[in-house]
Amino acid sequence: MLSSLKVGVAAALTADVGKVAFGPVDAPLGGPEALRTLMDAADRAAVVLPVFDGRRGHPALIDAVVARALLDAAHTLTPRDVLASFEIAEVEVVDPGVVSNINTAADLDRWRREFTEHE
């Protein structure tokens, strides 16, 4: 997972970028309002994570310093290993999509049912 993340972070991290948001491809449903909530809390810590119903989710919002640490990290580490060495702020969001995890067609069907119940 870290090697894929490094590719994305390297592409996103330019001299004028101060923050980077990322999440795994199987957790794609955090919406724009959740990201705005994270951005509003961006100065609270080097890593800002959304929380829904007591569960940490995605996307993660990280400072450029953290992004560079991910790029420099040994391939034996996980992204979680690297993020754990920085201050982390958890921010409550109202979007259940931040804790979604879709790996199968059944997961997608379950998510569709649950999401339409929350609308």
Side-chain angles (χ1 to χ4, degrees):
M1 184 184 273
L2 183 60
S3 60
S4 296
L5 182 57
K6 284 183 177 196
V7 172
V9 168
L13 192 60
T14 62
D16 60 338
V17 170
K19 305 281 182 188
V20 176
F22 69 87
V25 296
D26 67 346
L29 297 174
E33 188 60 37
L35 187 55
R36 277 190 283 278
T37 301
L38 294 178
M39 294 291 288
D40 289 345
D43 61 344
R44 290 185 40 200
V47 178
V48 182
L49 300 176
V51 174
F52 178 80
D53 198 25
R55 296 172 43 208
R56 282 182 171 180
H58 296 286
L61 182 65
I62 60 172
D63 285 344
V65 171
V66 179
R68 286 185 190 86
L70 286 166
L71 292 175
D72 294 339
H75 289 286
T76 56
L77 298 175
T78 67
R80 184 174 288 168
D81 295 332
V82 177
L83 298 184
S85 64
F86 292 91
E87 181 183 5
I88 297 174
E90 295 180 344
V91 178
E92 192 70 35
V93 299
V94 296
D95 182 354
V98 302
V99 294
S100 67
N101 190 345
I102 300 172
N103 293 311
T104 67
D107 291 341
L108 181 58
D109 288 342
R110 180 180 39 79
W111 174 252
R112 284 181 178 147
R113 284 190 308 276
E114 290 177 12
F115 182 73
T116 55
E117 289 173 10
H118 291 305
E119 286 186 41

